Amino acid sequence: GENVEQHPSTLSVQEGDSAVIKCTYSDSASNYFPWYKQELGKRPQLIIDIRSNVGEKKDQRIAVTLNKTAKHFSLHITETQPEDSAVYFCAAAGANNLFFGTGTRLTVIP
Amino acid sequence: ETGVTQTPRHLVMGMTNKKSLKCEQHLGHNAMYWYKQSAKKPLELMFVYSLEERVENNSVPSRFSPECPNSSHLFLHLHTLQPEDSALYLCASSQVSPGTGVGYTFGSGTRLTVV
């Protein structure tokens, strides 16, 4: 089955700086890669996703890049704000479900 | 409300109790999932139902028993649980099509404490 690894497990940045979270996956057949944000005490929510026929996707301050050859994808958050503080999960699509990374706790320091 | 509703939000139960968690989705999705979220293993897949048929069961102890009576409802029946089963139990739904992945919509979860 698919194996998704995510790094780092914790990340602290100053407000206004950029944050980068990286994930690798093992199954070359995976073709869909979403990212979820989970604020404290709340449900995970989809923030951005990318499909395997695209190398990069951007939505305001958030961007995701995908390198299918190397089987890795990354989340980039620019101009970070305190409200970006949360746990972020990457995932890769299997035949019937998503395989999640272990999460990155991002703390944005005002 | 995102369209996936879980009840109860909080549950405290003894190790000899029997209880059930309920999940309901109003999004017209054809797949539903149970995940266990704990500090040690975030987002651990437990069960997958696609078109009301269980398609995945990740070596979950038999004290957890899922039920999917229709595409909108999913239950997790609990009995003789252990303290280590205390966690946040998340339900999710998605629309699965052959060859394409789609994102999940998660419920708010049930915070389970086993005493």
Side-chain angles (χ1 to χ4, degrees):
Chain A
E2 177 67 275
N3 181 43
V4 178
E5 295 189 357
Q6 183 172 349
H7 300 281
S9 57
T10 60
L11 178 61
S12 293
V13 299
Q14 290 291 137
E15 182 178 356
D17 287 351
S18 295
V20 180
I21 302 170
K22 298 181 179 182
C23 289
T24 61
Y25 62 99
S26 60
D27 188 351
S28 56
S30 293
N31 59 6
Y32 174 69
F33 308 90
W35 286 87
Y36 288 82
K37 175 183 179 182
Q38 187 176 24
E39 296 177 63
L40 189 62
K42 297 187 177 180
R43 74 192 79 194
Q45 290 193 298
L46 179 68
I47 56 171
I48 195 168
D49 55 17
I50 191 168
R51 296 192 183 274
S52 57
N53 57 345
V54 175
E56 183 175 357
K57 184 176 178 180
K58 190 173 182 181
D59 182 3
Q60 299 183 342
R61 298 186 296 107
I62 296 174
V64 58
T65 58
L66 171 65
N67 183 327
K68 280 221 74 177
T69 303
K71 293 203 280 268
H72 66 72
F73 55 114
S74 301
L75 178 71
H76 304 252
I77 306 174
T78 58
E79 301 172 26
T80 53
Q81 301 168 4
E83 52 265 38
D84 294 329
S85 295
V87 178
Y88 291 82
F89 293 94
C90 64
N96 294 297
N97 54 276
L98 295 174
F99 293 88
F100 286 88
T102 50
T104 297
R105 183 173 299 280
L106 173 64
T107 303
V108 179
I109 303 166
Chain B
E1 187 59 62
T2 64
V4 179
T5 305
Q6 283 187 248
T7 54
R9 293 293 300 272
H10 301 273
L11 177 62
V12 179
M13 60 185 289
M15 289 189 285
T16 58
N17 290 160
K18 289 185 179 181
K19 297 286 183 182
S20 296
L21 309 185
K22 180 182 177 181
C23 179
E24 185 174 358
Q25 61 99 359
H26 307 280
L27 301 169
H29 288 168
N30 61 5
M32 297 185 76
Y33 312 81
W34 279 116
Y35 278 85
K36 176 184 178 182
Q37 188 175 36
S38 60
K40 295 183 179 180
K41 290 185 178 180
L43 291 175
E44 184 180 0
L45 179 65
M46 300 178 73
F47 301 104
V48 180
Y49 277 85
S50 181
L51 299 173
E52 302 164 39
E53 181 180 335
R54 190 191 309 180
V55 296
E56 196 148 341
N57 176 351
N58 276 8
S59 302
V60 179
S62 59
R63 56 185 184 269
F64 295 92
S65 175
E67 179 188 1
C68 187
N70 55 62
S71 60
S72 299
H73 294 85
L74 184 66
F75 295 89
L76 187 63
H77 303 299
L78 316 171
H79 65 95
T80 60
L81 294 191
Q82 304 298 311
E84 59 265 29
D85 296 323
S86 299
L88 179 68
Y89 288 83
L90 286 163
C91 172
S93 71
S94 71
Q95 184 66 20
V96 177
S97 300
T100 57
V102 292
Y104 292 175
T105 299
F106 282 94
S108 297
T110 295
R111 174 69 61 186
L112 174 67
T113 303
V114 181
V115 298

